[in-house]
Amino acid sequence: MNALFQTPQVTPPRELYDHQKLAIDLLRESIAAGKRRPMLQLATGSGKTEIAMNIARSAAAKGHRVAFLVPRTVLIEQTVENFRRGGVPDVGVLQGMRGRDSCQKQVVVASEQTLVRRPTQNFGLVIVDEAHMQFDAVKKWFASPEMQNTIVVGLSATPWSRGLGRVYDDLIKPVSMTGLMSIGRLSRFKIFAPPPPELGSVHIDKGEFRNDELSDICNRREIIADVIDTWKKRGEGMPTVCYGVDRKHAQHLHERFIEAGVAAEYLDCDTIQLDRDDMFHRFASGETKILCNVGTIDTGFDADVRCIIDARPTRSRIRHVQSIGRGLRIAEGKDHCIILDHAGNTERLGIVTEIDVPALHDGEGNKNFDTGKIAVEPGIKLCPECRVVVPPAVRACPECGHVFFAITKVAELDGDLVEYGSGAPGDSESKADPSTFIKMLKGYAEERGYQNPDGFAWNKFKEKFGRKPGSWGYVQSAAAVPPDVKTRNWIRSRHIAFSKGSGA
């Protein structure tokens, strides 16, 4: 067995939880089996840093030098503090000019970008935090001859990046998010899904929504107002993190919260560390209730968060799970986290506890674990009264008491009822048939010059029936047909409702 993973001859400052001990045992077994670069998958809030500190202490006690890599320089101070509190006192920092003396310490914390610019440091172990955030320079360094005898351990809650299997050779999953919730090591959550913005006209670039087009749609006053109103109804008073599409959108959200009398602050990647520290202190004390951000609190934020406002639509499972994960850390007096999904991400990608892939991506073919299609489309059950996401088997909404009636194969189309499989007129290609209705939606979108007619048709169909078009065998290659008057009137009614902020 490799000496790096043998139990150290010192007493850890804190007894590890069972799932953390299991993770280390599985890492030992992986190394003993000849793997050199295992990837450890554990949910945000499960204590990956504690595991890393245990491994680092063990390796340092055996005389090996250890590097702990973080993806952003702003995370270095926080990590060093955690390591020193966790019983690793002799920690060096490799960051800018500060690395000249401390980079020879037994354990070094560094940003990935900084370390690869320095001469080889002869590390026996490298631990990579948030390893799904791959950097080309780091991959090149790992592939260099001098790194071939170095063990590299990746840590991530979402190891689904394309080509990750070319860097790491084993995927270790000690316990699922659901498992952590069942033993009280991760917070449960409750999702509310207000009507999301219409994204049928937004282009897709490299698997993700185009940010500029997304911002224009999400930054409308009526949509912003819905975010504010929903938070005041569902999450008021709770420490909240709010995700915007870009700076303009996140700043707009921040301004509207301030106008509504809510103590909110804004930060982005250019917010200096001193200002961040002050903001986080006010947030922890309760002086600040909401942190509006753009792409900043996705990683390395360990505060007590009890509400998440997700106003940033995405096609990325990694981004979706990482964002929600910020609210799943346990805390005293915290029963569950409130998720306000204004982006439609849960409906688009699934409930975070159900998202997973079986292996690391090998980089081959066109498949994409992060934004690509999966074999089984995510399905959720949404209460039509309060918009809370509930388990499929429930008969009554636990939030508002709404009674769910059994679903039958009967669809309502503008006053016409058609029972599918009955052989009744219109069961195939009549105007009341869903397969024709969605073709009319596509025809309408093409008439109007929409950039993504299939996306528009898909979303509107689901808005109408509560089910995805695939349920009726619709494929995106289906031909469009001119919409009839009833279909045009229905679309117009939805546009009017949307413009008034009433949603579906």
Side-chain angles (χ1 to χ4, degrees):
M1 183 182 298
N2 193 286
L4 291 175
F5 292 87
Q6 292 179 2
T7 304
Q9 300 301 312
V10 295
T11 302
R14 183 187 68 76
E15 181 72 15
L16 295 177
Y17 297 112
D18 288 343
H19 72 275
Q20 294 170 326
K21 294 176 183 177
L22 176 60
I24 293 175
D25 288 342
L26 292 175
L27 281 170
R28 288 176 179 151
E29 292 176 8
S30 179
I31 298 299
K35 304 296 184 180
R36 308 298 293 175
R37 301 195 173 169
M39 169 69 71
L40 178 62
Q41 178 180 341
L42 274 173
T44 298
S46 60
K48 291 188 293 295
T49 302
E50 292 281 349
I51 293 170
M53 288 189 293
N54 187 284
I55 296 171
R57 282 195 303 268
S58 174
K62 304 302 178 185
H64 300 281
R65 298 192 65 239
V66 180
F68 185 86
L69 305 190
V70 295
R72 297 170 181 164
T73 56
V74 295
L75 301 177
I76 289 180
E77 292 294 344
Q78 172 184 316
T79 305
V80 170
E81 182 181 351
N82 287 337
F83 266 57
R84 288 174 177 164
R85 270 205 317 257
V88 189
D90 193 28
V91 181
V93 178
L94 194 58
Q95 179 185 15
M97 296 303 294
R98 298 174 55 189
R100 301 303 177 187
D101 299 324
S102 64
C103 66
Q104 297 304 317
K105 298 283 189 178
Q106 197 73 11
V107 178
V108 173
V109 176
S111 71
E112 298 184 22
Q113 303 94 318
T114 299
L115 186 60
V116 297
R117 291 197 300 264
R118 300 297 177 88
T120 302
Q121 300 291 322
N122 297 319
F123 293 110
L125 170 66
V126 176
I127 305 172
V128 185
D129 195 21
E130 307 294 350
H132 59 276
M133 299 174 64
Q134 301 186 87
F135 294 93
D136 289 339
V138 175
K139 290 191 288 186
K140 183 178 179 180
W141 181 49
F142 286 169
S144 64
E146 61 267 25
M147 285 293 291
Q148 296 314 296
N149 293 324
T150 300
I151 290 179
V152 177
V153 175
L155 306 176
S156 177
T158 54
W160 311 324
S161 304
R162 182 176 180 82
L164 208 58
R166 291 182 173 179
V167 180
Y168 298 91
D169 57 9
D170 196 14
L171 178 59
I172 298 171
K173 300 194 284 188
V175 62
S176 66
M177 291 179 70
T178 303
L180 288 167
M181 291 175 185
S182 69
I183 61 175
R185 300 314 312 165
L186 211 60
S187 172
R188 299 185 183 277
F189 57 89
K190 185 182 296 183
I191 306 171
F192 292 90
E198 170 58 60
L199 304 180
S201 63
V202 178
H203 287 83
I204 307 300
D205 184 15
K206 297 180 180 179
E208 181 60 290
F209 294 119
R210 277 192 52 168
N211 226 49
D212 54 345
E213 297 177 3
L214 200 61
S215 178
D216 289 342
I217 288 177
C218 294
N219 206 25
R220 295 173 182 170
R221 178 170 291 274
E222 65 272 13
I223 298 177
I224 299 287
D226 187 42
V227 172
I228 310 302
D229 291 344
T230 301
W231 182 82
K232 295 189 80 171
K233 181 179 180 181
R234 302 291 183 189
E236 187 166 18
M238 298 181 183
T240 301
V241 169
C242 176
Y243 294 98
V245 173
D246 60 5
R247 292 178 180 180
K248 180 174 65 174
H249 182 222
Q251 287 171 344
H252 191 185
L253 285 163
H254 171 234
E255 291 165 2
R256 298 291 84 79
F257 272 117
I258 293 296
E259 289 177 0
V262 181
E265 298 194 59
Y266 166 83
L267 70 157
D268 58 33
C269 61
D270 291 332
T271 306
I272 64 174
Q273 187 61 49
L274 183 61
D275 289 343
R276 287 171 188 256
D277 292 342
D278 289 342
M279 284 185 195
F280 294 163
H281 176 75
R282 290 190 291 269
F283 185 77
S285 69
E287 182 181 349
T288 294
K289 291 301 181 185
I290 300 180
L291 292 177
C292 297
N293 79 106
V294 50
T296 307
I297 310 183
D298 288 348
T299 57
F301 184 69
D302 300 340
D304 178 6
V305 177
R306 306 201 177 196
C307 180
I308 296 286
I309 300 174
D310 193 357
R312 175 185 60 181
T314 183
R315 290 166 54 89
S316 167
R317 297 180 182 91
I318 291 175
R319 176 174 283 186
H320 177 44
V321 174
Q322 289 285 342
S323 298
I324 301 304
R326 298 305 117 191
L328 302 187
R329 294 182 183 276
I330 58 175
E332 185 177 353
K334 180 179 181 180
D335 178 64
H336 62 273
C337 181
I338 295 293
I339 311 296
L340 305 178
D341 184 358
H342 289 266
N345 291 332
T346 299
E347 189 172 4
R348 184 180 306 110
L349 301 169
I351 299 173
V352 292
T353 50
E354 298 174 1
I355 300 175
D356 196 18
V357 296
L360 298 172
H361 192 286
D362 59 13
E364 300 296 330
N366 295 322
K367 63 182 179 180
N368 190 325
F369 290 165
D370 184 23
T371 60
K373 293 183 179 179
I374 55 177
V376 179
E377 290 292 327
I380 67 169
K381 187 171 183 178
L382 193 63
C383 175
E385 297 296 330
C386 68
R387 307 287 297 186
V388 70
V389 176
V390 296
V394 302
R395 296 295 182 89
C397 175
E399 190 68 20
C400 70
H402 172 80
V403 177
F404 295 94
F405 295 98
I407 298 175
T408 63
K409 291 185 177 180
V410 176
E412 180 180 352
L413 283 170
D414 295 312
D416 296 325
L417 288 177
V418 177
E419 183 174 353
Y420 293 96
S422 65
D427 196 24
S428 56
E429 288 296 324
S430 77
K431 291 182 179 180
D433 183 74
S435 64
T436 301
F437 180 69
I438 193 166
K439 293 175 186 177
M440 290 182 181
L441 292 173
K442 185 174 180 180
Y444 178 89
E446 291 183 353
E447 271 184 14
R448 308 284 290 187
Y450 291 175
Q451 295 292 334
N452 186 1
D454 283 305
F456 172 84
W458 185 279
N459 289 327
K460 287 300 179 187
F461 184 98
K462 190 170 182 182
E463 183 179 341
K464 176 74 174 177
F465 292 105
R467 294 177 62 184
K468 296 188 176 181
S471 303
W472 277 274
Y474 172 74
V475 294
Q476 291 193 344
S477 59
V481 299
D484 59 15
V485 174
K486 288 184 178 181
T487 301
R488 291 180 188 276
N489 288 340
W490 182 84
I491 295 172
R492 188 177 298 114
S493 73
R494 305 324 299 147
H495 288 169
I496 294 171
F498 185 79
S499 67
K500 292 181 178 179
S502 59

